[in-house]
Amino acid sequence: MSTNSKKTPNTSLALEFKSSNFSVPVLALSSNDLITIEQQLKEKASLAPEFFKNLPVVIDLQNSNKLNYDIDITLLIVVIKKSGLLPIGIRGGNAQQNKQALDLLIPIYSANNGLTHEEPQKQPTPTPEIITRDTSTMLITQPIRSGQRIYATGDLIITAQVSSGAEIMAEGNIHVYNTLRGRASAGIQGNKDARIFCFDLQAELISVAGNYKVSEDIDASVRNKPVQIYLQNQALIIQDILQHH
Amino acid sequence: MARIIVVTSGKGGVGKTTTSAAIAMGLAKKGHKTAVIDFDVGLRNLDLIMGCERRVVYDFVNVINGEATLNQALIRDKNCNQLYILPASQTRDKDALSQEGVGKILEELKKDFKYIVCDSPAGIEKGAHLAMYFADDAFIVTNPEVSSVRDSDRMLGILSSKSRRAEQNEEPIKEYLLLSRYSPGRVKLGEMLSLEDVQDILSLHLLGVIPESKSVLNASNSGMPVILDEKSDAGQAYADIVDRYLGEERPHRFIDEDKGFFRKLFGGK
Ligand SMILES: Nc1ncnc2c1ncn2[C@@H]1O[C@H](COP(=O)(O)OP(=O)(O)OP(=O)(O)O)[C@@H](O)[C@H]1O
Ligand SMILES: [Mg+2]
């Protein structure tokens, strides 16, 4: 770090701008009631504290502004930080909100995912610096061991084993291309169409949109088999994938 | 480059200290300058197994607190001049260790030693955390029983998420399984998990199986790491483990029931 250290030869660059796509969750607000927001954030965070801790988010104000809820950005940022999240941008804000964000050194993103550009976005295929998607797929190739918790905002694909005592959660589907011995919850925010797929079912608990079965309730006929698990009329169905009807 | 090896398990009493002493001695005897550190602050065990308990002047905590230099605290082993022991303090509690202090000592040791073996205390609390935090390799000592395997699995999760390598997104810690106190006879009777059962749950790279053996107790009573008892089965198992760790091929032994009796009977070798 010192300035009088060896001079870098002119030929080697000290830095480089690279284009890249980040996947950052978006926090879409549809209320300006900071107390309710704080409370609901807290509830969400309690579902997966490890995941939410220092999670970067972009705050989306499109909907709340459409509903004429004027949110004070300065106060909102305080509430969000308090819940452990790290706001790294806002989008869909009005002039006043954008100014408040910039005063806090928080970048402004355009509503179409990319960074705000001065020029109007007429080009059909702009290349945004940051793509914010909240339904990205999470791929894990390492074993999930006892005591570990994984939370995916979209689908979750795991190619290694999930040990008993481990917990995997996804807002979308869960695929485990290995033995599933821990707890698996798909559609954790209420998506009833979510499914769990696994190569070898030995789970301690399985759940889709809050409808669960514990190990004891899982029929022996579907244990140690490749199965899919889904909801049908509020009932959790466990089906042997290889069994043809 | 120096490598830091943590010997860990989660569960207590599975053979971590026995293993730490044996492999540290094994590595040193192969000519690699090795230090073995007792992280079990408050209990102190390693110095007994290494037979140097009467030569302890300063300990790990003294060095962290700056009350002694590393050179003053390191005890040279009486059997092997490539081996040094950094004993734990018996008079302090676990809070005497800090991550920063441990990091500094390990950095200093890395300049001078090829291998640094960290004997972890049981559990997953602070002492165990500090023992594994800076590791490059982890020797997971497991006994063939459900609770031990479970705890090992838990420890593996901690290694892959809470270690320095994990936090800094470096290549993960290399994990090895050491299945200890294995008794093929009892496995056959269904009193113990088999190697296969354990691997089904942990699926780790197996470094070796160490048989249940009276020689371990004899060795610790005489303050000699069991690997020095070259005739004993446990000593040979640890020697194999050291060789395999160093990249040599050694067929696995002590997994099936001993055929030695029949061999003797029929004059085989
Ligand atoms: N292969 C073996 N055969 C027979 N006894 C063994 C074997 N390995 C270890 N032991 C015995 O098991 C006991 C515990 O061993 P050791 O102290 O090495 O375990 P540890 O994991 O370090 O324990 P702690 O968690 O208390 O630090 C000792 O009495 C030791 O002699
Ligand atoms: Mg011990």
Side-chain angles (χ1 to χ4, degrees), chain A residues 143-206:
Chain A
I144 311 296
R145 303 290 185 177
S146 170
Q148 288 188 298
R149 302 177 85 195
I150 302 293
Y151 189 106
T153 48
D155 284 359
L156 175 60
I157 300 178
I158 302 178
T159 57
Q161 64 181 37
V162 177
S163 293
S164 81
E167 192 169 4
I168 55 175
M169 295 162 274
E171 292 180 16
N173 304 297
I174 292 177
H175 305 249
V176 180
Y177 296 103
N178 211 306
T179 309
L180 170 60
R181 293 197 177 89
R183 301 166 150 248
S185 306
I188 197 153
Q189 299 290 354
N191 179 3
K192 293 193 165 76
D193 296 325
R195 292 186 177 206
I196 299 172
F197 304 85
C198 75
F199 255 33
D200 182 352
L201 178 68
Q202 302 181 28
E204 293 168 331
L205 179 144
I206 45 169

Side-chain angles (χ1 to χ4, degrees), chain B residues 14-45:
Chain B
V14 297
K16 293 179 292 295
T17 302
T18 304
T19 300
S20 300
I23 60 153
M25 176 63 80
L27 289 166
K29 283 215 332 172
K30 291 237 151 186
H32 303 292
K33 197 168 176 192
T34 301
V36 56
I37 308 179
D38 190 347
F39 274 78
D40 211 342
V41 173
L43 284 173
R44 234 179 91 180
N45 236 319

Side-chain angles (χ1 to χ4, degrees), chain B residues 5-70:
Chain B
I5 303 170
V6 62
V7 179
T8 187
S9 67
K11 193 172 159 71
V14 297
K16 293 179 292 295
T17 302
T18 304
T19 300
S20 300
I23 60 153
M25 176 63 80
L27 289 166
K29 283 215 332 172
K30 291 237 151 186
H32 303 292
K33 197 168 176 192
T34 301
V36 56
I37 308 179
D38 190 347
F39 274 78
D40 211 342
V41 173
L43 284 173
R44 234 179 91 180
N45 236 319
L46 182 69
D47 51 342
L48 288 172
I49 302 219
M50 303 291 305
C52 66
E53 74 280 6
R54 292 192 296 170
R55 289 191 286 146
V56 174
V57 184
Y58 297 111
D59 58 53
F60 197 7
V61 174
N62 290 137
V63 182
I64 285 192
N65 292 345
E67 295 151 6
T69 66
L70 202 44

Side-chain angles (χ1 to χ4, degrees), chain A residues 58 90-92 107-117 121 126-132:
Chain A
V58 170
I90 70 166
R91 71 180 192 191
I108 319 292
Y109 295 85
S110 81
N112 323 330
N113 295 342
L115 273 167
T116 308
H117 294 285
Q121 294 191 318
T127 43
E129 280 81 351
I130 293 186
I131 296 182
T132 51

